[in-house]
Amino acid sequence: MKSNPKAYKQPKRGRGIYGGGKHGAGNKGSGQRQNFMRLGYETGNNPFYLRVPKEPYYKGHHLKREYPPISLLQLQTMIDTGRVDPSKPLDLVALCNSKLFLLSPLEKQFGFQLTDEGLDNFKGKVNIEVQHASEQVIAAIERNGGVITTAFYDPVSLLAMRDPMKFFISGIPIPKRQTPPEDAIEYYTDPRNRGYLADPDLVALERFKLAQKYGYELPDLKNDPELAMLLERKDPRQIFYGLNPGWVVNLKDKKIFEPEDEKLLEYYKT
Amino acid sequence: MAVLNNLSCFRRILINSSSSRAYLSGFKSSITLEKLYPSSRLDITTIPKAPESKDRKFSGYIPMDKIQISYARSSGPGGQNVNCVSTKAEIRFHLASAEWIPEPVRVKLAEKVKNQLSKEGYFIVKSDRTRSQHLNLADTLDKLRDLIQSTAQSLVIPEISPETVERQRRLHERAARERLREKRAHSMTKQGRQSPTLDS
């Protein structure tokens, strides 16, 4: 039993008249003495790999944050089909619980951004919290009497938020949310972006300005029956609505434990 | 670790409905908004008073209830989308009775756009620049605001200092003197080309 001769190459052993002798290294010189010049060396002149400048295509790619998009059209469809409950504040947890969107924080995804596809037909009144939204999207939400906030979550918090049940089962205390990194602080403290760290009075002014820019009458939220729901916001250190950092949720016994130690309380509060 | 048996006390306790301060669900850290902005009222629901357009200055505020907005289908290529979706935005208002534009600006504007007014005196601004109705509406408002602002600017007479007036007068006088000097020199040249007469 033998394959055809051309099926594979016979190994060349370094012995005998065909593979032996000088072992393919030639006569004298740096070649036979195995003292080669480094790869790319061009015997003294400026080598190609140094002469031609490199384009840093992927510089800092490991530091760039990604925000997978959710369009206004998708949001409207979710509200219409009941995948998401607009009578409660919507945040990353609510969007992930719909099981239509999944976040992978390990792949530098830091949350969702609201995009403007379906801008003209958006009619939902929601209190939504996303990680990024453009001006016309903010206008579309506020035009219908809703409230939009942009908030930052660090990857540890995101891992807890994207599957809360799994997180509670693990028995880890709820972490405290970290503040945004330096290059994101400006975004989240700007009232124009409705940042969660911006002054609410300035946000009110920006709401008015945006209504003037996009040509709609700014709805008076004070007369809204759902005022309390629309104004509900998390503390900058909070991850889940109604749950404080440091608490441990026990789903089996339906109990919540909080720390008693002063140092721990101090840690979770600062 | 303390057990929170009575979960209801940590449920969201609704604030009294007259207050519209941002509601926080009980947890207050050291970087809560109250601590970051101690002098703020923390109220996003306040609607500020519209800036007034006084004297000859236009504040930029356009009252939405005083203008009529309508949508139509845009022109140009685009297949089913451009044929079916009303993306062109149009705003119209009666220019003579627009109280929100200051009187002198209104008069100047009426003069400027008198050929564009409708028979009843309505001024119309349209836009079908983008694919979105709302963005087109923003564009029309931008155009209108720009127009009114440029009209208001043209009415402003800039104050000229007495030094500048004096300098301008001096320059004019010098220019006139130069012109007359050149004129006289040219005249002499022309006279020199005439054939001399027996008298001179």
Side-chain angles (χ1 to χ4, degrees):
Chain A
M1 293 285 288
K2 204 160 89 164
S3 343
N4 77 73
K6 299 247 168 82
Y8 61 94
K9 223 168 153 176
Q10 291 279 18
K12 194 159 76 165
R13 292 183 64 251
R15 304 279 181 272
I17 66 165
Y18 298 113
K22 295 187 201 47
H23 299 94
N27 265 322
K28 301 199 224 183
S30 64
Q32 194 174 35
R33 293 169 182 141
Q34 307 293 315
N35 184 24
F36 299 106
M37 291 176 247
R38 67 172 184 274
L39 188 66
Y41 185 65
E42 287 178 22
T43 64
N45 58 284
N46 200 18
F48 174 81
Y49 76 92
L50 285 181
R51 194 188 317 174
V52 177
K54 126 177 135 161
E55 185 63 54
Y57 294 108
Y58 302 108
K59 185 174 182 174
H61 76 287
H62 63 293
L63 298 167
K64 293 223 159 70
R65 294 180 291 275
E66 290 176 12
Y67 300 102
I70 297 182
S71 67
L72 282 172
L73 180 64
Q74 286 175 314
L75 184 61
Q76 183 66 56
T77 315
M78 285 203 288
I79 294 168
D80 291 341
T81 51
R83 291 301 283 258
V84 119
D85 186 7
S87 69
K88 294 203 181 97
L90 295 181
D91 65 337
L92 200 141
V93 177
L95 293 168
C96 288
N97 281 345
S98 72
K99 300 286 190 279
L100 289 171
F101 304 102
L102 217 62
L103 201 70
S104 32
L106 299 172
E107 304 203 357
K108 301 171 301 196
Q109 292 180 356
F110 276 70
F112 296 114
Q113 57 167 311
L114 218 43
T115 49
D116 61 356
E117 184 173 0
L119 173 76
D120 291 344
N121 300 322
F122 186 75
K123 285 176 185 50
K125 182 169 132 190
V126 285
N127 171 7
I128 191 160
E129 190 193 66
V130 285
Q131 279 62 56
H132 191 281
S134 60
E135 198 188 58
Q136 57 259 35
V137 164
I138 296 172
I141 304 257
E142 291 181 348
R143 173 194 261 114
N144 294 310
V147 172
I148 178 163
T149 319
T150 48
F152 174 83
Y153 292 94
D154 57 291
V156 173
S157 316
L158 287 169
L159 280 167
M161 288 167 84
R162 63 129 173 205
D163 199 346
M165 294 300 264
K166 189 171 163 189
F167 174 74
F168 293 143
I169 288 167
S170 71
I172 300 168
I174 296 170
K176 68 176 186 186
R177 207 201 312 183
Q178 300 301 322
T179 49
E182 267 179 51
D183 52 357
I185 284 232
E186 201 189 319
Y187 183 84
Y188 291 109
T189 49
D190 199 347
R192 275 174 299 190
N193 305 322
R194 309 294 184 271
Y196 73 122
L197 295 173
D199 188 355
D201 285 352
L202 297 179
V203 168
L205 185 62
E206 290 299 328
R207 279 168 56 92
F208 178 73
K209 282 195 213 165
L210 205 67
Q212 266 294 290
K213 180 169 179 178
Y214 282 86
Y216 57 90
E217 196 85 48
L218 186 62
D220 195 0
L221 292 178
K222 286 195 176 66
N223 304 329
D224 200 310
E226 288 184 313
L227 178 67
M229 185 280 288
L230 289 171
L231 291 184
E232 194 163 339
R233 277 170 82 137
K234 295 181 204 170
D235 183 270
R237 287 280 191 214
Q238 210 176 359
I239 296 177
F240 300 109
Y241 281 114
L243 294 175
N244 294 7
W247 289 1
V248 178
V249 174
N250 185 337
L251 290 172
K252 184 161 174 285
D253 302 330
K254 292 203 170 50
K255 288 197 169 102
I256 297 181
F257 298 89
E258 66 162 355
E260 276 179 331
D261 187 43
E262 269 171 36
K263 281 189 184 156
L264 274 177
L265 286 169
E266 180 74 34
Y267 168 75
Y268 283 116
K269 252 197 157 35
T270 50
Chain B
M1 252 201 182
V3 174
L4 300 168
N5 280 316
N6 194 4
L7 279 178
S8 61
C9 69
F10 291 94
R11 281 272 179 84
R12 292 168 296 159
I13 304 156
L14 289 173
I15 45 167
N16 54 338
S17 53
S18 60
S19 160
S20 51
R21 288 186 58 188
Y23 173 71
L24 305 167
S25 67
F27 175 65
K28 287 191 172 50
S29 69
S30 65
I31 54 167
T32 186
L33 285 174
E34 285 170 358
K35 294 225 173 72
L36 291 175
Y37 305 106
S39 58
S40 169
R41 287 181 309 136
L42 302 180
D43 189 6
I44 64 163
T45 59
T46 44
I47 297 177
K49 217 173 122 203
E52 268 177 48
S53 301
K54 274 184 288 200
D55 304 323
R56 292 158 157 247
K57 278 194 187 167
F58 178 57
S59 64
Y61 177 73
I62 299 174
M64 284 302 133
D65 45 353
K66 299 275 173 28
I67 60 170
Q68 294 148 36
I69 303 168
S70 62
Y71 303 109
R73 284 176 300 224
S74 298
S75 60
Q80 191 178 39
N81 197 43
V82 82
N83 289 343
C84 303
V85 182
S86 302
T87 47
K88 181 177 190 162
E90 183 192 278
I91 57 175
R92 55 170 68 210
F93 60 98
H94 193 241
L95 185 53
S97 58
E99 296 296 325
W100 49 277
I101 309 176
E103 181 70 49
V105 182
R106 208 188 314 159
V107 164
K108 184 90 194 275
L109 186 62
E111 179 59 40
K112 197 172 180 179
V113 301
K114 69 174 190 280
N115 291 334
Q116 297 169 35
L117 296 177
S118 76
K119 197 162 77 176
E120 287 88 31
Y122 280 84
F123 183 48
I124 303 161
V125 185
K126 295 180 267 203
S127 171
D128 60 353
R129 207 165 138 200
T130 72
R131 297 184 59 170
S132 163
Q133 193 183 74
H134 295 156
L135 293 176
N136 285 339
L137 180 60
D139 191 38
T140 54
L141 288 164
D142 191 41
K143 277 185 190 171
L144 179 61
R145 234 176 240 123
D146 200 41
L147 188 64
I148 301 173
Q149 182 62 18
S150 61
T151 316
Q153 289 276 49
S154 66
L155 284 173
V156 170
I157 308 153
E159 282 178 29
I160 308 172
S161 67
E163 291 93 8
T164 316
V165 169
E166 177 59 29
R167 185 168 171 271
Q168 277 176 357
R169 185 198 63 82
R170 266 198 358 258
L171 290 172
H172 277 135
E173 236 174 79
R174 196 201 305 165
R177 254 183 278 129
E178 277 302 310
R179 184 181 55 80
L180 287 170
R181 195 179 301 149
E182 274 181 31
K183 189 174 184 182
R184 273 182 235 119
H186 183 69
S187 179
M188 296 299 283
T189 316
K190 295 295 262 186
Q191 275 180 20
R193 291 182 190 152
Q194 303 274 347
S195 53
T197 55
L198 283 168
D199 307 349
S200 59

